[in-house]
Amino acid sequence: GIDSEAHDVVLFVGDSPNDMPMFAHFRHTIGVANVRRFADTMATQPAFVTKAESADGFVELADYIIAART
């Protein structure tokens, strides 16, 4: 049910193989660092991967977005 226009405006963040369909669908995708554990089994990878894992990876991304807006 996601609007096709969302492809270019949504930033999707994931951390595991179950996120592959979203990594494939959206243009702007981020994996938090623990996604690297599954790299060999994932046909679709995120466009970028954070340095930090889990919640720290999400905070890293949020800090980057906030800094880019100022």
Side-chain angles (χ1 to χ4, degrees), residues 1 9-10 14 18 25 38-39 46-48 51 54 57 70:
V9 297
V10 168
N18 70 318
H25 180 75
F38 310 105
F48 300 95
K51 293 177 185 175
S54 301
T70 56

Side-chain angles (χ1 to χ4, degrees), residues 14-15 31-37 49-60:
D15 67 351
V32 293
N34 41 303
V35 77
R36 288 189 179 110
R37 295 179 198 153
V49 177
T50 63
K51 293 177 185 175
E53 293 191 353
S54 301
D56 291 335
F58 187 80
V59 170
E60 176 186 335

Side-chain angles (χ1 to χ4, degrees), residues 11 60-70:
L11 173 65
E60 176 186 335
L61 173 60
D63 287 344
Y64 179 83
I65 292 169
I66 292 167
R69 292 188 59 151
T70 56

